[in-house]
Amino acid sequence: PGFSPTNYVKNLVENSVRIDAILNERQQIANLADETNNLLKKNVYKNYMQFIETAKEISYLESEMYQLSHMLTEQQNVMQSLQEVSITDSKGSTTNVAATEKKEEDPKRSLSTLLEKVEGCTRLLDVKDRHIVRSGEMMEVREDNTECKIYLVLLSDGLLLADWLPHRRGPVQYRFQMLYELDNLAVVNVKEDQRSKNCFKILTFPHARQFQCETAAEKRVWMEAIEQTKQAKMAVVTLKRESALLDPKGSLLSLDNNPFDEEEAEDLYECEGGAVLPEWLSELPEDLDVCVAERDFETAVNLVMKTEEHFALYPNAKPLEEMKPRIDYRVKHLVDVLTNELHVSPGRSLQGGPRAARRAVSLLIKLGKSSQACDLFLKHRSAILKYSMRQQKMEGATAPYIKKLCELFFTSMVETGHEFSQAFSSNNSCASSFVVWTKDQLQNFVKLFSNHVFTTQVSLSVATECILAVRTHCESLWEIGLDLSFFLEKLLKNDVERIISDSRDKALEAIKLRAAEDRWRPQNLYNKAGLQKLIDDMNNLGVSNISSYVYDECWVSLSSNTVSFCKTFLNLLDDLLKLHTPVTRVLILESLAATFRAHLRHVDASLANKSFKSDVPLIQKNASFLLQTLLEVAEKRCDAKLPHLSGFWNELRQEFASCMSPKSASNKGVTKYPAVAFI
């Protein structure tokens, strides 16, 4: 006790003369820490079972404390009830009051005992005069022949199902699962066989559930209790309707003073017969079931909206409060059916376009499920788009296949955008979901695009053609108010930069190989046809003065290496210009400069090589062609997409100006002598 780490370190530093003492002390502290950790682990392993037993005891103690608290609460309620009884009342009066209170509190008390066992059923107390008729455990037999324990509670107006909790804490043993109304419930006996013994079924549209009792007598009691409770409820409802149609004297109400006319200003549910619902409202659950079964969803939604308006007019009416759970259950079922219309399953056809989902979406929006409708609509479109993309088979060249994919994808996106605008025109909050969905779909498309385009088997020219196609189609999204070109460029950035670098490296490797084999000889095209072909090829590349380098009818004072480099450089320039963006601008210029410098260094090295001393005029003429003609053609091509680059090209000219002779600008050919004449 009283140990201060700061003072300990301070004293240690003051008393230590050398650094070695401090390091030794540090090592000792580290060793003590390791020993302490090992000792703690050993103690934990040694007392592991004690920890488990202690945890169990704590859990048991917690459960007992919960039960004790519950018992104290009950005792408090009893004491309060005793205090409310007057000691001056007569014995008979006291007995009558107690009996009356007991009769009034029995339903609530029985439901309160249910709350102690079942979790999540507090709303059961909201209905007046509801009480428990019968309860008990049994097994539920599912469709896959599996069994699970379940708790059934037969109420005066419904059948409650609760799941058994295997890992429970306290007195709560079950969790609320479902409450079925007796009006829409039927009990059916199940014929016994080897698998089904003492079973009965509960039929509720559109489901059926099978339960197994321990004995045949228990099954019979349950079935009879459900039928009797159901008949009792129907009798009460019928009695209320008949009594409401009579005035206090027993005569029928006149039509002129009919309190059930909804057009009257008088509140329906404040009149003497206020316990009776309008006929259309009392038949609403059955009507909704029929509409859903007939797939007449529009009528069902209209009925729901009419009901909501009626509920808004009479928010405090007790009959409507009792009716609301039944209607909510039907509305939930209607929403589930409409949701299923938008779900995509393997067995469902995906040939329909966005209009096929418009009906379900519009109905869900009317039911106030716009967010859910938006999510399902976009998922539905994703599945259809994915299916359509898979139907496209790659046959033949890459470029036509990619163009088909681009047209299919972006056309579908535009069509989806138009349908989304029509379906959610009044819900601007869903627009952000559509933007996010569009970005996700574009990202998935770019992954597919990259797998086909950015491979070693695809040439640079084909890749640039595909990239140009996807950029052009992406601009079609402007039609629906989306500009995702910047996002597309971000997704393509790494792959585009990689193919630019790879193309530069391939060009440099080709220059290196050709330079090793270059002998600096003029080209002999042998005939006029060969010469004309070379002239046409160079004209197609933009080099129109190749004729000035021709002499002796079929000789050209340009080496084959120079002509090959000219073609390679201009083709590379065309492809890189198609890939130009503000992001790739620097990389493109660096690649062009590196390629041109590599070849001109070969020219410069050849001029300094004594082996080519006799070929210096030819080499200088080739250098002049590269620095003047080739760079001039390249500069003109760049003016459209890369303007204001005159300094870039002039820098290359000045860097290798020494490779040209003073007379290199003349277009005279080099005289060709036969070997014998030269000697």
Side-chain angles (χ1 to χ4, degrees):
F3 175 75
S4 175
T6 304
N7 295 333
Y8 174 77
V9 174
K10 182 178 179 181
N11 295 332
L12 179 63
V13 173
E14 290 176 353
N15 298 330
S16 299
V17 180
R18 300 177 60 186
I19 190 66
D20 296 339
I22 298 177
L23 294 176
N24 292 334
E25 191 69 24
R26 177 188 176 189
Q27 185 62 37
Q28 291 179 5
I29 294 174
N31 294 336
L32 288 174
D34 293 338
E35 292 178 3
T36 304
N37 290 334
N38 293 331
L39 184 61
L40 179 61
K41 291 179 181 179
K42 291 180 181 179
N43 289 332
V44 170
Y45 293 147
K46 182 179 179 180
N47 302 312
Y48 182 69
M49 295 304 299
Q50 294 183 6
F51 289 150
I52 295 177
E53 294 296 332
T54 304
K56 290 182 178 179
E57 292 296 333
I58 292 174
S59 178
Y60 295 150
L61 181 61
E62 182 181 9
S63 177
E64 291 177 358
M65 291 298 294
Y66 187 92
Q67 294 178 3
L68 180 60
S69 174
H70 180 68
M71 292 173 62
L72 291 174
T73 303
E74 286 188 347
Q75 292 293 334
Q76 182 181 3
N77 294 335
V78 172
M79 294 298 295
Q80 290 178 355
S81 300
L82 292 175
Q83 289 177 359
E84 292 175 358
V85 177
S86 175
I87 60 174
T88 60
D89 288 345
S90 61
K91 183 177 180 180
S93 176
T94 304
T95 305
N96 293 335
V97 171
T100 304
E101 291 182 356
K102 182 178 180 181
K103 183 178 180 181
E104 292 178 353
E105 293 179 3
D106 272 346
K108 294 293 182 182
R109 286 186 177 180
S110 61
L111 287 178
S112 63
T113 58
L114 180 63
L115 296 179
E116 297 170 6
K117 292 183 178 181
V118 181
E119 178 185 273
C121 61
T122 54
R123 63 186 182 88
L124 296 178
L125 294 174
D126 297 339
V127 180
K128 186 180 179 181
D129 297 333
R130 174 180 283 171
H131 60 277
I132 297 176
V133 178
R134 183 176 178 80
S135 63
E137 288 185 353
M138 59 182 64
M139 303 300 293
E140 180 181 5
V141 182
R142 297 176 178 173
E143 295 180 356
D144 55 357
N145 293 327
T146 59
E147 296 182 353
C148 64
K149 185 185 293 186
I150 200 163
Y151 186 61
L152 261 69
V153 181
L154 178 60
L155 303 173
S156 57
D157 59 346
L159 182 65
L160 182 144
L161 277 68
D163 296 320
W164 179 67
L165 297 176
H167 306 288
R168 59 183 181 273
R169 299 179 63 180
V172 177
Q173 301 178 5
Y174 312 97
R175 179 182 290 115
F176 176 80
Q177 181 194 113
M178 181 70 68
L179 178 63
Y180 292 111
E181 301 172 10
L182 291 180
D183 297 346
N184 305 302
L185 180 147
V187 185
V188 179
N189 186 24
V190 177
K191 186 178 180 181
E192 294 191 0
D193 54 20
Q194 294 181 353
R195 294 183 178 180
S196 303
K197 290 185 178 181
N198 305 325
C199 294
F200 65 92
K201 280 188 177 182
I202 299 295
L203 304 181
T204 57
F205 179 82
H207 307 291
R209 305 181 68 168
Q210 182 173 328
F211 303 96
Q212 185 177 24
C213 301
E214 293 184 358
T215 62
E218 183 182 0
K219 180 185 76 170
R220 184 173 60 256
V221 171
W222 267 103
M223 294 179 65
E224 292 176 354
I226 293 174
E227 287 295 338
Q228 292 174 2
T229 307
K230 184 177 179 181
Q231 293 175 5
K233 182 183 178 183
M234 295 298 295
V236 172
V237 173
T238 304
L239 182 61
K240 287 183 178 180
R241 287 185 178 180
E242 292 177 353
S243 61
L245 294 176
L246 299 174
D247 62 7
K249 297 181 180 180
S251 61
L252 289 174
L253 293 171
S254 62
L255 295 177
D256 296 336
N257 298 323
N258 186 2
F260 302 106
D261 189 357
E262 291 186 8
E263 296 180 357
E264 295 290 332
E266 183 182 2
D267 192 341
L268 282 174
Y269 304 102
E270 292 180 357
C271 64
E272 190 172 352
V276 176
L277 297 170
E279 184 177 357
W280 69 270
L281 188 57
S282 61
E283 297 177 355
L284 180 64
E286 291 76 12
D287 292 341
L288 289 177
D289 290 339
V290 172
C291 291
V292 173
E294 295 178 350
R295 299 182 62 81
D296 188 5
F297 302 132
E298 288 80 2
T299 304
V301 171
N302 292 334
L303 287 174
V304 172
M305 296 179 67
K306 180 181 178 182
T307 306
E308 291 178 352
E309 294 175 358
H310 187 76
F311 279 23
L313 292 175
Y314 311 105
N316 299 322
K318 293 294 183 182
L320 295 183
E321 292 181 2
E322 298 177 1
M323 188 69 177
K324 195 173 187 308
R326 299 177 59 189
I327 298 176
D328 290 343
Y329 175 75
R330 265 70 178 189
V331 173
K332 182 179 180 300
H333 178 59
L334 176 60
V335 171
D336 292 340
V337 174
L338 292 174
T339 301
N340 191 50
E341 291 291 308
L342 296 174
H343 275 305
V344 178
S345 58
R348 179 171 293 182
S349 174
L350 295 176
Q351 300 299 328
R355 295 180 181 85
R358 186 189 299 175
R359 178 192 182 197
V361 169
S362 61
L363 294 177
L364 285 173
I365 293 175
K366 289 182 179 180
L367 292 174
K369 306 291 182 181
S370 57
S371 299
Q372 187 177 359
C374 175
D375 182 55
L376 291 171
F377 174 79
L378 295 178
K379 287 182 179 179
H380 183 261
R381 289 302 304 151
S382 299
I384 293 178
L385 182 59
K386 186 177 180 180
Y387 174 80
S388 301
M389 299 284 284
R390 285 182 176 178
Q391 295 303 307
Q392 298 295 322
K393 303 298 182 182
M394 185 173 180
E395 298 176 355
T398 302
Y401 170 71
I402 292 298
K403 289 180 180 179
K404 288 182 181 179
L405 281 184
C406 291
E407 183 177 1
L408 174 65
F409 175 78
F410 288 101
T411 302
S412 178
M413 297 291 283
V414 172
E415 187 180 3
T416 303
H418 289 309
E419 289 295 325
F420 188 89
S421 299
Q422 294 181 12
F424 299 93
S425 57
S426 59
N427 293 274
N428 295 329
S429 58
C430 297
S432 58
S433 300
F434 176 69
V435 175
V436 173
W437 175 83
T438 307
K439 291 180 64 177
D440 292 340
Q441 295 303 313
L442 182 60
Q443 190 170 2
N444 295 334
F445 174 76
V446 170
K447 289 180 181 178
L448 178 64
F449 177 87
S450 301
N451 292 335
H452 288 285
V453 174
F454 300 115
T455 61
T456 56
Q457 293 80 14
V458 178
S459 63
L460 176 63
S461 58
V462 174
T464 53
E465 184 180 357
C466 296
I467 294 172
L468 190 62
V470 72
R471 286 176 176 173
T472 304
H473 281 88
C474 187
E475 294 176 357
S476 63
L477 295 179
W478 297 353
E479 184 180 343
I480 57 175
L482 289 178
D483 186 1
L484 297 183
S485 300
F486 68 96
F487 186 65
L488 176 65
E489 296 299 336
K490 179 182 177 182
L491 296 175
L492 295 175
K493 176 178 178 293
N494 293 333
D495 290 322
V496 170
E497 290 180 349
R498 180 173 55 81
I499 64 171
I500 292 175
S501 301
D502 291 345
S503 302
R504 177 198 61 200
D505 296 340
K506 290 179 181 179
L508 294 177
E509 186 67 22
I511 291 172
K512 182 179 179 181
L513 294 176
R514 287 197 298 265
E517 300 174 356
D518 195 0
R519 294 294 177 264
W520 291 108
R521 296 289 184 268
Q523 285 192 86
N524 183 6
L525 301 177
Y526 301 105
N527 52 49
K528 292 184 178 181
L531 177 63
Q532 188 62 40
K533 184 177 184 303
L534 175 63
I535 294 174
D536 293 340
D537 291 343
M538 299 301 285
N539 283 332
N540 292 333
L541 292 174
V543 182
S544 57
N545 64 341
I546 197 69
S547 301
S548 59
Y549 293 89
V550 177
Y551 66 96
D552 292 348
E553 294 185 355
C554 58
W555 286 84
V556 179
S557 57
L558 297 175
S559 67
S560 59
N561 188 12
T562 300
V563 174
S564 298
F565 173 75
C566 179
K567 294 179 179 179
T568 301
F569 184 78
L570 292 178
N571 288 328
L572 178 64
L573 176 64
D574 289 340
D575 292 334
L576 294 185
L577 287 178
K578 295 177 182 177
L579 300 177
H580 172 262
T581 62
V583 178
T584 59
R585 178 188 179 92
V586 175
L587 182 60
I588 289 175
L589 293 179
E590 290 177 352
S591 300
L592 292 174
T595 305
F596 191 81
R597 285 192 178 102
H599 188 78
L600 265 294
R601 288 194 187 100
H602 161 63
V603 174
D604 194 20
S606 299
L607 288 172
N609 193 343
K610 295 181 180 180
S611 302
F612 300 117
K613 186 175 182 180
S614 60
D615 299 318
V616 168
L618 177 65
I619 297 174
Q620 290 176 340
K621 194 172 187 67
N622 280 262
S624 175
F625 170 79
L626 294 173
L627 292 172
Q628 294 180 354
T629 303
L630 179 60
L631 287 186
E632 182 180 356
V633 173
E635 186 175 0
K636 289 180 180 179
R637 292 195 179 189
C638 288
D639 286 341
K641 287 192 175 182
L642 298 174
H644 312 297
L645 287 180
S646 57
F648 172 76
W649 302 112
N650 290 332
E651 182 180 350
L652 291 176
R653 291 189 183 97
Q654 293 174 4
E655 183 177 353
F656 297 98
S658 59
C659 296
M660 297 185 298
S661 65
K663 297 182 180 180
S664 62
S666 63
N667 294 328
K668 294 182 180 179
V670 177
T671 306
K672 180 71 177 177
Y673 296 98
V676 178
F678 182 78
I679 293 174

